[in-house]
Amino acid sequence: MKRFHQLSALALLLLAGSASLSAQQSVTPVDHVSTLVGSASKFSLSTGNTYPAIALPWGMNFWVPQTGKMGDGWQYTYDANQIRGFKQTHQPSPWINDYGQFAIMPTVGKVDFDENRRASWFSHKAETASPYYYKVYLADYDVTTEITPMERAALFRLTFPATDSANILIDAFDHGSSITIQPEKRRIVGYTTRNSGGVPDQFKNYFVLEFDRPFTVSHVGSVDADYHFVASDDDCATADHAVAAVSFATKRGEQVGVRVASSFVSADQALENLKELGDADFDRLRQQGRDRWNDVLGRIEVSDANTDHLRTLYSNLYRCVLFPRMFFEVNAQGDTIHYSPYNGKVLPGAMFTDTGYWDTFRALMPLVDLVYPSMGRLMQEGLVNAYKESGFLPEWASPGHRDCMVGNNSASVVADAYLKGLRGYDAETLWQ
């Protein structure tokens, strides 16, 4: 009997060791990423000036839980305790700030567009932040928000309490915006012109939201600087600051799905970009995003018993493959096109933006060329197009030329890529 107990104990130890080894083996590169590192920053003191970008590698659109006021470059700070909305963002740094942004915010009860009054308390204890998936509990409304992104689209899953007024607010921001509600299509379309410079005339980011069920009530109109709401006479509002909301009756734990996409090309192209989501449900899209991140981060394999080293490596590699971002889209014919941030035309081919080459020419761009050469080649094609459309290579692009920093560091980027063996783009034009 004693021998049996000894063997049983040994078997349990072996099983426990096997389970522990299996758990260690199942940890993938993206599991080491902390998207919150560097977000404990402010204007007077930077610890990184980052925000938790919910995105795919080099994606055209990112999403961020917005804790800062509208227009504040520090759009998410770790010491904040309220979320004002979930913002589509293209911000490369707080100093350069954002463009083409709009926000979505779930609430319960009376519809209120004021960014201070609509904000909800949250805790990091009820927050899950990864590159491909974000989840947070909005305590003031008893609502859980989940987001999983694609390159130009995203899927929201909102879990509401029992209420007759489960609201989803859309804030198209100020300086010129428009929203139209299409109840028969369970859809909202619109555009925002919000930017911080570096855009041509008539710049717009066209967006579309589709809901997985009919909404019972809708509001559309505009707000002034003090957020006084003026309702539109119909289902459309074009104003300095357009806003809208749709409402649902929900049971406790009932979920509302929202499919979102945008385009710098046109409203029709925004609908085309929405097709990135396909017919996959939320969990399948989340897995697709996880797989994509592991494919990109997994190009660099490191063995280290020190988990902190792995967290540092992969959290920084995550940052390295966010920018320069894709600023191109794929039309219904399958052709790559882009809205030129330099001359305002819709043109064929690739375009990248949101990087200051004075920051990145020494390390980031050589890393891309060595580890991700196909993406590096595409970025060189983007530089060709930037030169053709503006007469210059960009030094700080966001999305077009920004009057920031000096030098000619993009020349180093062009030369380095060629010397590293990248081909398949118009190097002669870049030489010129």
Side-chain angles (χ1 to χ4, degrees):
M1 181 66 69
K2 183 177 179 182
R3 174 70 172 166
F4 174 77
H5 285 310
Q6 289 175 335
L7 289 173
S8 298
L10 179 61
L12 287 171
L13 285 170
L14 288 172
L15 284 171
S18 174
S20 175
L21 181 61
S22 175
Q24 290 176 6
Q25 290 174 339
S26 66
V27 175
T28 63
V30 75
D31 297 319
H32 293 298
V33 173
S34 171
T35 64
L36 301 179
V37 169
S39 64
S41 297
K42 53 187 176 182
F43 178 86
S44 58
L45 179 64
S46 169
T47 67
N49 281 340
T50 65
Y51 58 88
I54 309 157
L56 290 189
W58 303 289
M60 188 178 86
N61 300 325
F62 300 170
W63 289 88
V64 61
Q66 182 186 351
T67 64
K69 292 183 178 180
M70 182 176 65
D72 187 348
W74 285 263
Q75 54 190 350
Y76 177 100
T77 52
Y78 192 81
D79 62 351
N81 57 23
Q82 286 190 314
I83 289 176
R84 301 166 184 268
F86 300 91
K87 185 174 74 161
Q88 188 190 92
T89 179
H90 306 93
Q91 177 174 298
S93 84
W95 313 107
I96 292 294
N97 216 300
D98 211 344
Y99 65 90
Q101 64 267 51
F102 62 95
I104 299 169
M105 181 63 180
T107 68
V108 169
K110 180 183 177 181
V111 171
D112 192 338
F113 294 105
D114 186 287
E115 67 171 344
N116 294 315
R117 292 193 297 264
R118 77 189 186 206
S120 171
W121 182 87
F122 81 105
S123 167
H124 296 298
K125 294 179 180 179
E127 180 187 40
T128 301
S130 76
Y132 62 90
Y133 173 64
Y134 182 84
K135 178 181 180 180
V136 70
Y137 177 67
L138 301 176
D140 286 278
Y141 301 117
D142 192 18
V143 170
T144 297
T145 297
E146 298 172 271
I147 309 170
T148 191
M150 299 296 284
E151 289 169 346
R152 300 167 188 86
L155 184 58
F156 281 65
R157 184 165 66 184
L158 308 171
T159 305
F160 285 97
T163 177
D164 290 331
S165 54
N167 313 311
I168 300 175
L169 279 57
I170 300 89
D171 189 336
F173 283 43
D174 58 358
H175 299 317
S177 51
S178 179
I179 298 180
T180 300
I181 296 180
Q182 301 172 344
E184 69 286 356
K185 297 180 179 178
R186 301 184 300 196
R187 180 185 293 168
I188 293 176
V189 298
Y191 64 78
T192 175
T193 67
R194 193 63 144 85
N195 68 85
S196 304
V199 300
D201 294 338
Q202 309 306 318
F203 165 84
K204 293 183 177 71
N205 184 27
Y206 301 89
F207 58 80
V208 56
L209 293 80
E210 286 188 350
F211 303 88
D212 65 357
R213 67 193 62 201
F215 36 85
T216 55
V217 179
S218 63
H219 309 265
V220 63
S222 62
V223 292
D224 60 19
D226 296 318
Y227 280 96
H228 297 133
F229 177 69
V230 178
S232 175
D233 293 333
D234 52 24
D235 288 333
C236 178
T238 299
D240 179 73
H241 190 165
V243 292
V246 294
S247 301
F248 308 81
T250 56
K251 300 176 183 178
R252 179 161 191 81
E254 192 169 355
Q255 296 178 329
V256 176
V258 189
R259 295 155 51 89
V260 190
S262 71
S263 167
F264 295 101
V265 172
S266 68
D268 288 340
Q269 183 63 40
L271 285 168
E272 189 66 28
N273 292 343
L274 196 64
K275 295 178 182 178
E276 286 187 350
L277 301 174
D279 59 359
D281 63 16
F282 189 93
D283 294 326
R284 282 176 57 198
L285 283 172
R286 178 173 58 185
Q287 185 61 48
Q288 289 177 25
R290 177 181 172 83
D291 292 344
R292 172 64 175 151
W293 272 107
N294 277 324
D295 176 60
V296 171
L297 299 177
R299 299 288 183 90
I300 297 178
E301 295 182 9
V302 175
S303 297
D304 196 322
N306 189 322
T307 302
D308 287 338
H309 291 170
L310 297 174
R311 288 172 177 164
T312 299
L313 170 69
Y314 287 112
S315 295
N316 282 298
L317 188 57
Y318 151 75
R319 295 286 169 194
C320 287
V321 297
L322 290 175
F323 302 105
R325 82 166 72 248
M326 300 175 186
F327 200 73
F328 61 85
E329 305 172 45
V330 180
N331 64 17
Q333 291 72 44
D335 300 322
T336 297
I337 59 173
H338 66 272
Y339 168 82
S340 173
Y342 302 105
N343 62 25
K345 298 178 181 179
V346 177
L347 298 167
M351 178 62 66
F352 286 81
T353 192
D354 291 330
T355 194
Y357 290 106
W358 76 282
D359 283 308
T360 60
F361 78 98
R362 285 189 179 93
L364 175 62
M365 298 307 296
L367 174 74
V368 170
D369 294 340
L370 287 169
V371 182
Y372 311 102
S374 61
M375 187 58 65
R377 185 205 64 77
L378 205 57
M379 290 177 184
Q380 294 298 312
E381 179 185 326
L383 287 171
V384 171
N385 289 329
Y387 167 66
K388 288 180 175 178
E389 293 160 26
S390 71
F392 296 92
L393 293 176
E395 297 308 320
W396 233 119
S398 183
H401 292 303
R402 299 293 293 273
D403 186 16
C404 182
M405 297 304 161
V406 296
N408 191 24
N409 299 306
S410 53
S412 304
V413 172
V414 167
D416 187 60
Y418 193 84
L419 290 172
K420 281 185 167 61
L422 268 61
R423 298 294 186 272
Y425 56 93
D426 189 356
E428 180 60 31
T429 293
L430 288 178
W431 166 244
Q432 295 303 321

